Amino acid sequence: LGVRLAVGDDGRVTVDGVLPGGAAERAGLKAGDVLVTVGGKPAGDGLKATLDEALAAGKAIEFEVERDGKLR
């Protein structure tokens, strides 16, 4: 995916870094984005399992992010 994630003390999952040219950058993710949902599920609940399942199946992954206080 080309993204580094960090989980804060509050449980929020934040994009910590994006690999130039990677899938995350092409999808429009930016450092500082807060993942709200991943694959239609809350980002904090089983995030790794959701990503692993989608990647293994070769599926696109939909993200809902909060950036500058707005959902995107």
Side-chain angles (χ1 to χ4, degrees):
L1 289 176
V3 65
R4 187 175 54 244
L5 302 174
V7 180
D9 293 337
D10 59 2
R12 291 168 46 119
V13 180
T14 303
V15 175
D16 195 38
V18 178
L19 181 68
E25 182 184 61
R26 289 191 305 274
L29 290 176
K30 296 183 178 191
D33 285 351
V34 176
L35 300 183
V36 178
T37 62
V38 177
K41 299 177 184 175
D45 296 343
L47 176 62
K48 183 175 179 346
T50 299
L51 291 174
D52 288 347
E53 179 183 319
L55 292 172
K59 296 180 188 175
I61 304 169
E62 289 190 25
F63 295 89
E64 181 179 31
V65 300
E66 180 182 322
R67 182 183 302 153
D68 300 325
K70 297 179 183 175
L71 291 179
R72 299 174 185 262

